[in-house]
Structure formats: structure tokens, C-alpha cells
């Protein structure tokens, strides 16, 4: 009988030691200088599986902080732990983006409306009226490419400006802060919020155990949680969201003088959100609601626009603040540093091919132009490495910059050659420098320019000792609750109720009791009333207050942080549904349509049937059928019916629900006398937003939030 082959020690080792193992049942917790949670192995633990290592078996001492040159210094390239962790994370999925997979894109133009040469030498800001092409990609973060448009989620807001000095990619979100302070934690954040690893769900949702387990242990995320649980993450339209660069960057002028800067995109149409109930129903009625809305607006010539604003400040201002300007979980209140408008971006052309453009576009935070530079923000520093690496994984080649949507619209020349899918055909043998080939009459290739080339801001005035190499966070990074409290107290009472209700909904999906209790305990550091409301909504006892490294400080509320305090009553860019049926008065419908259009809105005719319908005064064709056009898709509704049709529709669930939802979502309902029968059946009560048809123009599409307490229970 033949002997069984003896497995090699290498194979045996690979099979045995690479299994997850049980590890240490309970880690030892400690807090760093930035109040970050460290969980470490206890003394004398023998089980090798208890020790966190890199992929080559090197034990890791700190899985919370990247290595930087000084407490507030830049991240060091030698940090192999960070590089491997993000490198592996960047390559976990192919070819779909790991985050921001579901996106919508459009082309447009940016125009400088105020020259600022004293602040920056960036070419696009040197002259009022200077323009450049842009491409913008909006996205959700957590869901896959096939998920829906309207989950509660952060929205990506990435802008590629094709300037005459090269591409400038301002890669941000619709929220000015982020969940984490250090790029080391980004894979952990995304792993926690993505589908749970053992069951593959939920998709595009943060309401589950692993996300809130992570959040409860990461108090630095609590400011972002206030934003994520607010109406900012359930927007009405991509045309009605703000955009933020999130990080602190630098402006550098011709003299080499530098100042800090934060970038803001302000929508010309104003900010507007849905309610949670609307967002859920829209997902069922039209999973492509935001994508369709953006495409159709541009296609109709209603070009969405955003003003680019900047907050500019110096190190003296930064040093005086009770927070660290290098901390991506913090913002600078607009009351402290007003946002100055310097440009306008207008999206005026849809993509020709979704895959070639929206899918293949590659944004890099490292794409900046002379006059703009980085700060030592540790989250930004990690992104500078991560994005370039992940584009190679997604697009399969280091030559992804040659894909038309990514290529600059100014000349580019270098000595980089070959590589997979090389489409250029460089000539000559000058693929290195220095060289002296020009002395022999050959083309010697391009050369660097000290005068016009990009040069890093030289001053090191960020309160940092670069002689130290540390895995550490600055002490001010430990204040996790002051700005979270500022955000919450800056909201209207109605918006605060929405935040509390969102937390109740999300945490009700969490099955681990201790996780729910820990999160509510963290909320007590933000606001006692908020924590009590959430605990009551979950029917749990108010848990003990979680220990805070730094207690929250009361700051003056900022009106700029509230959607409702800044709401614009404009009709511009909004869509109004007009319900009609056989026998409806065409003249009344035409007048209402005209009033809506003259105010900048878009009327949308809804009827029980599509096609030509006989009405008083002629024939009308509906834009949408009643069952397929629920009121959640519109900003306001109106109804012009006959008594006979109103009676018939009162027996149809879709018609009754149409008005019930509009009323429940605090929208304006304009109606004629015949429609009163339907309103009564839907439980619609008279208020300032339930008006006669001829009063609609005065009331418009604004929400009537005073109604909400009558139509739903809020935490």
C-alpha cells in the first residue's frame, strides 16, 4: 500500500495558522490621547490567534492611528500597516466601487465669479469670468450599483474641474464632516456599515447591528451621526444638496503665502429633503428617482447650479479654536468664518454613455493644481494614498488617466511609458531624465519647471514637531461631542424630532441589547433630552452615560446647520402633480399649469388612465397613471375633478392614498370643491397647506411642518 504523502511544513502552517481561531474572548480596553478606543491582548496570552497581525505575520501594536511626523504632522509613507490595510481594502471588490458604487454623473462648466489672486495662484481664480469644463458624480455611499437612490445615506459630491493647469478633483460629500478622524479606521467603518458578512444583508442600510456596534465604540463618529440621522441624508433631489470638501486644504499665492481653506458648494435651488416615510415609498415607486430627476432636469434645460464658497483662515485663528481644524469630524461654523462665494458651477449636459463616463470616471484627492495644497489632516493623508491605488484595481491599468473622462483637457507630457492598455504611442527613446539627447538633435522630452510647476507649501506652522514619528492623535481630537451638540441644538424642534425618530428606527433594527444601550449612553453626552426621547422610543431604561474624554461645551447655535431655517419658498426646480379625470375643466388645468411654469416649477399631469382623456374644453393626455405616479414623487399636489369622478376615485385605494400621503408628508394640497369628498375619506384636515386651487400660487411647494404632529408619532 502506498504511503500517503507527508504535507510540507509550509502547507501545514498555511492551513493551520491562517484560520481565524477563537482568539482572546475579551480584549483589554484603553483610550488614546484623542479618546480613540484601543482594544489589546492581555499579558501572557498564548493563543497566537489572539494577536492582530499584518498579512505576513507581523504583530500590530496600534490599529487606531496611522504613523505621522509629529502629533499633528503628515502621514508617513513608511507606515506599512496603514498601506497594507488600505491596499487590501481597496482591492476587496472588482470592478464595482467598494463605496460610492451607485452614482449619477453630468457635465457642466465652472465660472469664477470673484477673482482671488491674493489668496491663491490657482489659474481658475485669477480672473473673474474665467471658465473650465467640469464633470460631477453624485452617489450614495453604502449600497451597491444596483441599490436604490433614496436610502438614508451620505451622498458623494465629487467634482472634476478640467483647468488649464491640470485636473483638480474636489472629492467630497453632502455633509461637511466625516465619521472618523484617521484613515486607518476607514476599512473598519465601511466593513461595519456594509452588508453583514455572514448573511449578505441589509443592502444600502445602516440600521443593523455591526454598524451601530462600531458607532457605539467610536465616540468620534457621534457628530457625523447627528448629520446622518438628520434630513440631510434623505434629500429631495441631487440638485438640492450642498457639497463639501470636508477636509481643511490650503490656498497658496504667488508670493508663497499660505492660508487654510474649506470648500463649500451651495445649491442655487436651495436645500430640500424628503421625509423618511417618503424616502421609503419613493424607493418602491421609483428606485431611480434621483438619477431620473437629474437627467430629466438637464434634458429639459433646467440646468442645476451651485455656488462655490470658501472659508479662509490662518493658523492664528486655528490655534484659538476649541477644536482642531485638522480633524475631519469637525466643521467651522459659518457664523465664525462666513462662506465667501467665488464661483458658480452649472451642469448643462447629460452623459452620452453611462459606463464610459459615470462608471469609468476616476477621482483622486491628490489631483490638485498649483495654488491649492494639502493640510496634515490624517484622514486626507490616507486618502491621498488610497484613491490612486483603488483606481488601478477598478480600471485594470495604470493608464486609467487616458480614458477620455479622466484625461486632462490641457497638454500632459512625462516619461512614463507602456503598461496595460497603453493607447498613446510615444516616439523617440527619451524615457528618462536627465538626458543629453537634444545635443545630438533628438527630442529630449519635457522638464520640470521651478517657476510654474506644483510646489508644496513650505512653511511648517501647524503646531507640530516633525522630529517625532508617532502613532498618536492630538488631544483636541478627543472632543467628540461639542459639535454634535451644536448641530442638534441648531435644528428646529421638528428637525430634532426627525433626528430622534431616525435614531429610534435605526436602533430598533439592532438586535444586540448592549449595543443599543451603549449608543443611547453616548447620546447623553450630546443632549439629555435627545437620549431620553430615543430611550423612550425603544422602550428601554435610560442607560448610564458613557464616559466622555472631554465634556461637550455649549456653543452658540448656527442657523446655517438647519435645513428648515434656510428653506426657500421658491417653486423653481420643483415638480407639482395635477390630478384630473374625464370631464375635468381644461381651462382650470391650463391656468394652473401656467402659474406653476411661470414660477419656475414643472407641472405633471396625473390621471386614472394615460392617453387622450376627454375633458371639458377638449382632450388632455396624462404624463403619468395614478397608480404609477404616487404623490411621494412630487413636491406638491393639486386636484381638479368633477363630482362624479371624485366619487368614483373615492373607492380606489391609490387615489385615497395619494392624498393621504401628501397630507402626511406635510405637502401643499390644492383642490377644487369636488375633491373634498376624497380629502374627507383620506383624513385630510383643513390647514394653511390645504387650499383652494386659486390660492396655490401663494402657498407654493413649501412644507407645512406644523401639521406633522397630527399625522405621525415622533420620538
Amino acid at each position: 500500500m502506498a504511503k500517503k504523502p507527508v504535507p510540507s511544513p509550509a502547507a501545514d502552517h498555511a492551513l493551520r495558522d491562517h484560520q481565524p481561531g477563537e482568539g482572546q474572548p475579551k480584549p483589554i480596553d484603553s483610550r488614546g490621547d484623542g479618546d480613540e478606543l484601543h482594544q489589546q491582548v492581555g499579558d501572557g496570552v498564548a493563543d497566537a490567534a489572539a494577536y492582530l497581525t499584518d498579512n505576513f505575520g507581523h504583530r500590530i501594536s496600534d490599529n487606531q492611528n496611522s504613523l505621522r511626523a509629529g502629533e499633528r504632522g503628515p502621514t508617513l509613507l513608511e507606515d506599512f500597516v496603514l498601506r497594507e490595510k488600505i491596499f487590501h481594502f481597496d482591492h476587496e471588490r472588482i470592478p464595482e466601487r467598494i463605496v460610492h458604487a451607485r452614482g449619477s454623473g453630468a457635465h457642466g462648466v465652472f465660472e469664477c465669479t470673484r477673482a482671488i489672486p491674493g489668496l491663491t495662484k490657482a489659474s481658475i481664480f485669477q480672473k473673474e469670468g474665467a471658465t473650465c469644463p467640469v464633470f460631477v458624480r453624485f452617489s450614495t455611499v453604502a449600497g451597491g450599483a444596483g441599490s436604490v437612490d433614496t436610502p438614508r445615506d451620505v451622498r458623494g459630491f465629487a467634482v472634476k474641474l478640467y483647468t488649464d493647469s491640470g485636473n483638480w478633483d474636489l472629492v467630497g460629500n453632502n455633509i461637511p464632516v466625516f465619521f472618523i478622524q484617521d484613515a486607518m479606521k476607514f476599512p473598519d467603518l465601511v466593513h461595519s456599515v456594509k452588508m453583514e458578512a455572514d448573511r449578505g444583508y441589509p443592502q444600502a442600510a445602516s440600521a443593523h447591528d455591526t454598524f451601530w456596534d462600531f458607532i457605539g465604540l467610536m465616540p468620534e463618529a457621534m457628530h457625523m451621526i447627528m448629520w446622518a440621522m438628520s434630513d440631510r441624508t434623505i434629500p429631495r433631489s441631487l440638485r438640492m444638496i450642498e457639497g463639501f470638501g470636508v477636509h481643511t486644504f490650503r490656498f497658496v499665492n504667488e508670493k508663497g503665502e499660505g492660508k487654510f481653506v474649506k470648500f463649500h458648494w451651495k445649491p442655487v435651488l436651495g436645500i430640500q429633503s424628503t421625509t423618511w416615510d417618503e424616502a421609503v415609498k419613493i424607493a418602491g415607486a421609483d428606485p431611480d428617482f434621483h438619477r431620473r430627476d437629474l437627467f430629466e432636469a438637464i434634458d429639459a434645460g433646467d440646468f442645476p447650479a451651485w455656488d462655490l464658497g470658501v472659508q479662509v483662515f490662518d493658523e492664528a485663528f486655528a490655534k484659538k479654536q476649541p477644536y482642531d481644524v485638522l480633524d475631519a469630524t469637525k466643521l467651522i461654523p459659518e457664523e465664525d468664518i462666513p462662506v465667501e462665494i467665488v464661483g458658480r458651477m452649472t451642469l448643462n449636459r447629460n452623459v452620452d454613455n453611462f459606463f464610459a463616463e459615470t462608471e469609468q470616471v476616476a477621482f483622486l484627492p491628490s489631483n490638485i493644481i498649483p495654488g491649492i495644497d494639502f493640510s496634515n489632516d490624517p484622514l486626507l493623508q490616507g486618502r491621498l494614498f488610497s484613491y490612486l491605488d483603488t483606481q488601478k484595481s477598478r480600471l485594470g491599468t495604470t493608464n486609467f488617466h487616458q480614458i477620455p473622462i479622466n484625461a486632462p483637457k490641457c497638454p500632459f507630457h512625462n516619461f512614463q511609458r507602456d503598461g496595460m492598455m497603453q493607447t498613446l504611442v510615444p516616439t523617440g527613446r527619451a524615457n528618462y531624465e536627465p538626458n543629453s539627447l537634444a545635443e545630438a538633435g533628438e527630442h529630449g522630452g519635457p522638464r520640470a519647471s521651478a517657476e510654474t510647476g506644483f510646489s508644496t507649501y513650505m512653511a511648517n506652522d501647524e503646531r507640530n514637531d516633525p522630529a517625532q514619528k508617532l502613532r498618536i492623535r492630538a488631544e483636541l481630537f478627543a472632543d467628540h461631542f461639542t459639535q454634535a451638540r451644536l448641530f442638534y441644538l441648531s435644528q428646529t424642534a421638528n428637525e430634532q424630532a426627525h433626528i430622534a425618530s431616525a435614531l429610534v428606527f435605526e436602533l430598533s433594527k439592532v438586535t444586540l441589547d448592549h449595543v443599543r444601550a451603549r449608543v443611547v449612553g453616548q447620546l447623553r453626552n450630546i443632549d439629555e433630552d435627545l437620549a431620553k426621547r430615543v430611550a423612550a422610543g425603544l422602550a428601554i431604561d435610560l442607560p448610564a452615560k458613557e464616559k466622555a474624554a472631554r465634556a461637550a461645551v455649549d456653543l452658540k447655535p448656527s442657523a446655517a446647520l438647519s435645513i428648515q431655517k434656510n428653506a426657500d419658498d421658491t417653486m423653481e426646480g420643483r415638480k407639482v402633480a395635477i390630478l384630473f379625470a374625464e370631464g375635468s375643466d381644461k381651462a382650470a388645468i391650463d391656468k394652473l399649469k401656467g402659474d406653476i411654469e411661470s414660477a419656475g416649477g414643472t407641472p405633471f399631469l396625473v390621471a386614472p388612465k394615460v392617453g387622450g382623456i376627454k375633458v371639458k374644453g377638449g382632450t388632455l393626455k396624462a404624463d403619468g397613471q395614478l397608480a404609477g405616479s404616487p404623490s411621494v414623487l412630487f413636491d406638491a399636489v393639486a386636484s381638479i375633478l368633477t363630482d362624479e369622478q371624485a366619487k368614483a376615485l373615492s373607492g380606489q385605494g391609490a387615489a385615497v392614498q395619494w392624498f393621504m400621503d401628501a397630507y402626511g408628508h406635510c405637502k401643499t394640497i390644492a383642490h377644487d370643491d369636488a375633491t373634498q369628498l376624497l380629502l374627507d375619506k383620506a383624513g385630510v384636515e383643513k390647514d394653511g397647506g390645504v387650499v383652494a386651487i386659486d390660492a396655490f400660487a401663494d402657498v407654493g411647494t413649501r412644507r407645512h411642518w406644523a401639521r406633522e404632529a397630527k399625522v405621525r408619532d415622533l420620538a
Side-chain angles (χ1 to χ4, degrees), residues 611-681:
I613 298 175
K614 291 181 180 180
V615 294
K616 180 182 176 182
T619 301
L620 275 180
K621 184 177 181 180
D623 298 310
Q625 193 260 346
L626 178 60
S629 305
S631 61
V632 293
L633 302 180
F634 308 102
D635 298 288
V637 301
S639 175
I640 299 175
L641 299 169
T642 65
D643 291 338
E644 183 180 355
Q645 286 295 334
K647 184 177 181 181
L649 288 174
S650 68
Q652 295 187 22
V656 175
Q657 193 69 43
W658 205 76
F659 289 103
M660 188 181 294
D661 279 344
Y663 184 69
H665 299 147
C666 304
K667 294 176 180 177
T668 297
I669 301 174
H671 65 96
D672 59 6
D673 291 340
T675 305
Q676 188 63 49
L677 177 64
L678 268 166
L679 300 186
D680 292 341
K681 189 153 188 180

Side-chain angles (χ1 to χ4, degrees), residues 66-142:
S66 54
L67 186 66
R68 62 198 63 161
E71 184 179 82
R72 303 178 70 252
T75 301
L76 296 174
L77 190 61
E78 73 178 66
D79 188 353
F80 65 90
V81 178
L82 169 69
R83 290 178 62 206
E84 182 194 86
K85 187 174 182 180
I86 292 185
F87 175 80
H88 191 280
F89 172 74
D90 288 343
H91 295 260
E92 286 180 358
R93 306 282 193 279
I94 57 171
E96 181 180 292
R97 288 171 169 87
I98 295 175
V99 288
H100 298 277
R102 181 171 180 82
S104 303
H107 296 271
V109 62
F110 175 80
E111 179 181 2
C112 175
T113 57
R114 177 189 165 200
I116 48 173
L119 292 175
T120 175
K121 62 182 179 181
S123 59
I124 192 63
F125 296 121
Q126 297 309 296
K127 183 179 179 181
E128 183 178 324
T131 64
C132 71
V134 300
F135 184 79
V136 179
R137 188 177 186 273
F138 304 102
S139 56
T140 55
V141 174

Side-chain angles (χ1 to χ4, degrees), residues 283-300:
D286 185 359
D288 305 301
F289 181 69
H290 285 155
R291 181 174 292 176
R292 189 188 313 278
D293 174 83
L294 179 67
F295 187 95
E296 290 182 349
I298 295 174
D299 199 45

Side-chain angles (χ1 to χ4, degrees), residues 34 52 56 103 136 186 191 206 304 390 404 424 452 498 565 583 671 688:
L52 182 68
F56 297 94
V136 179
F186 192 72
H191 284 167
S206 54
T390 200
L424 302 178
T452 61
H498 287 182
K565 291 178 183 178
H671 65 96

